[in-house]
Amino acid sequence: MTPGREKIQPKEEKTKAFTYDDMSIELLDALGGKTNVLCVDHCITRLRVEVKNISIIDKQALSNMNFSHIVETSGHEIQIIIGTEVQFIAEILNEILM
């Protein structure tokens, strides 16, 4: 082999396994927990959440989760742009809330 042309083996990186369950639980905690969330719905990319008290939502935790945009649409509703995987997160949140 010519030096510099050998196959380079990628370094193994230890990464945390991503699951929708973990993300949903973290999201629910940031939204104030099960007692604060009244209703969860979604469209193609947005998670729509109705809450009892919008002031206890941990907005820093939501932004640390790397969501592209968070919008307070009213005094009791927040919309979080998650992406096309939003349906999986909404389903898990609704299961938790039941």
Side-chain angles (χ1 to χ4, degrees), residues 43 46-49 54 62 69-74 77-82:
C43 65
R46 290 181 184 231
L47 183 71
R48 294 185 172 110
V49 183
I54 205 159
L62 291 175
H69 200 63
I70 301 163
V71 180
E72 289 181 32
T73 57
S74 72
E77 186 176 277
I78 187 167
Q79 293 184 8
I80 304 166
I81 299 174
I82 294 177

Side-chain angles (χ1 to χ4, degrees), residues 16-35:
K16 182 181 173 186
F18 169 80
T19 67
Y20 292 120
D21 291 331
D22 293 338
M23 179 182 264
S24 299
I25 291 168
E26 189 176 343
L27 180 60
L28 185 62
D29 288 341
L31 292 170
K34 190 175 179 178
T35 58

